[in-house]
Amino acid sequence: MADVLPLVEARLRSALGEPDARAAVTFLGTDRIEVLRFPAAGQEGDIVRYATLGMSAQPMADPTAPLADPVEGPRAELVLSVRAGVADTGKVLRPLAVLAASPQVEGVIVAPGASLDVGEALWPGAPFTSVLVAEPGGLVEDLELDAPLDPVRFLPLLPMTPNEAAWKRVHGAQALQERWLTHGTDLRDPSRRSVPLE
């Protein structure tokens, strides 16, 4: 079985450039998760991106399945984009690793429309404790793997305030994204306020 992580890292580098920092976190009973930081560059000169590396090493398993399939099943990595220099977002590395380990630790399948909560601020002073998983394909293209392996999808994360997360539970991800769009919300602003939810 070929190790998919070198292929995943190569795809991240081709899409986002060279990382300027990386941190590794290992949780009891899980594979090592790395988080890479890609500095602001190019046209979007003030956007720094964080991407996980390690979540896609194993396919995500249906929590109701009696045995996890070691080959087939969805694979993903997480990508967070924020404005540089506004907040101490460098501390987001561990919370991102926690989210990336959740399929192994909690037996969940991370997919677009899902909410993921770390139970604490994503970085010091952040108004966000959770994220909305968005649709992949815009920033980093899916990485096709040899059959029968599923492709690796690179899922963007959109930070949510506690009020937004509660509203999303009632109204759904699509409704929250439409509200953000209607109000011109800058989802990359690490210190933004909650969108009006009335």
Side-chain angles (χ1 to χ4, degrees), residues 55 60 76 108-116 132-135 153 155:
M55 182 177 168
M60 292 182 274
V108 296
I109 293 180
V110 177
S115 300
L116 302 175
L132 175 66
V133 182
E135 290 291 336
R153 304 170 86 198
L155 302 172

Side-chain angles (χ1 to χ4, degrees), residues 178-194:
E178 286 171 8
R179 191 158 282 262
W180 280 336
L181 199 59
T182 301
H183 289 272
T185 306
D186 180 2
L187 296 172
R188 297 167 175 177
D189 179 354
S191 56
R192 72 172 179 85
R193 300 185 185 284
S194 182

Side-chain angles (χ1 to χ4, degrees), residues 17-18 24 36 70 83 113 115 118 163 178 192-193 197:
E18 287 299 310
L36 281 57
R83 293 204 180 285
S115 300
V118 293
N163 285 347
E178 286 171 8
R192 72 172 179 85
R193 300 185 185 284
L197 297 170

Side-chain angles (χ1 to χ4, degrees), residues 108-153:
V108 296
I109 293 180
V110 177
S115 300
L116 302 175
D117 197 318
V118 293
E120 60 185 22
L122 288 175
W123 51 82
F128 319 106
T129 60
S130 62
V131 292
L132 175 66
V133 182
E135 290 291 336
L139 187 61
V140 185
E141 287 185 23
D142 292 356
L143 173 64
E144 297 293 334
L145 301 173
D146 293 338
L149 303 185
D150 284 27
V152 177
R153 304 170 86 198

